[in-house]
Amino acid sequence: MEILNSLYDFFPTAVNTGSCLVLVSEDWKVEMWEHRKRPLDSPENEKVFIRVKFFKKMLNGQWIQDQYVDFDFKSINVLADQIERYIQFSIGKKYRENP
C-alpha cells in the first residue's frame, strides 16, 4: 500500500478505497492495484508493481473490464507520469480537473 499511498498525491481526483485507487468518469472506471510477485529464481527479492485496470461502462450501467497493464518503475514520479499518460491515451481524453 506504500506505493498506492504515494500515487494518491499524484491523482487528486482518485478515490482511495483502502485496497486500490479508483478514477471514475461517465464512461470509464480506472483502478490501480498494488501487486507483489516473487520470482522463482530468487524468492527473497519480492517485486512490487502497480496494475492499472480499465473498465468500460455499458449501456445497461454495468462495468466491463476492458484491459489492464502492469507498471514497474523505481521512481514514484516516473511511475505516476507513465500511468497518467497511459490512462489519457487509453480513454482518449484528459481525466484531471484543471485547477
Side-chain angles (χ1 to χ4, degrees):
M1 285 297 292
E2 180 182 323
I3 297 174
L4 279 183
N5 289 334
S6 297
L7 285 175
Y8 187 60
D9 294 334
F10 288 91
F11 297 95
T13 58
V15 175
N16 189 340
T17 69
S19 58
C20 74
L21 297 181
V22 181
L23 296 160
V24 180
S25 72
E26 189 174 310
D27 299 320
W28 292 94
K29 177 172 73 167
V30 179
E31 296 178 351
M32 291 178 252
W33 293 84
E34 190 171 305
H35 283 273
R36 298 178 183 281
K37 186 187 315 181
R38 285 194 167 99
L40 294 175
D41 57 342
S42 60
E44 66 280 351
N45 294 332
E46 185 175 67
K47 191 171 192 171
V48 179
F49 61 94
I50 298 297
R51 177 164 288 167
V52 179
K53 297 179 181 179
F54 288 84
F55 298 84
K56 178 80 171 149
K57 191 171 194 177
M58 305 311 294
L59 293 176
N60 64 4
Q62 290 185 330
W63 296 102
I64 303 296
Q65 186 170 342
D66 185 55
Q67 59 181 303
Y68 75 88
V69 69
D70 296 334
F71 288 85
D72 176 28
F73 288 95
K74 302 293 182 228
S75 163
I76 194 70
N77 292 331
V78 173
L79 175 66
D81 180 59
Q82 292 303 306
I83 290 173
E84 181 177 33
R85 289 176 59 139
Y86 185 75
I87 291 171
Q88 289 179 0
F89 290 136
S90 294
I91 64 175
K93 61 181 176 182
K94 291 190 177 199
Y95 66 90
R96 280 190 181 221
E97 298 172 351
N98 291 327

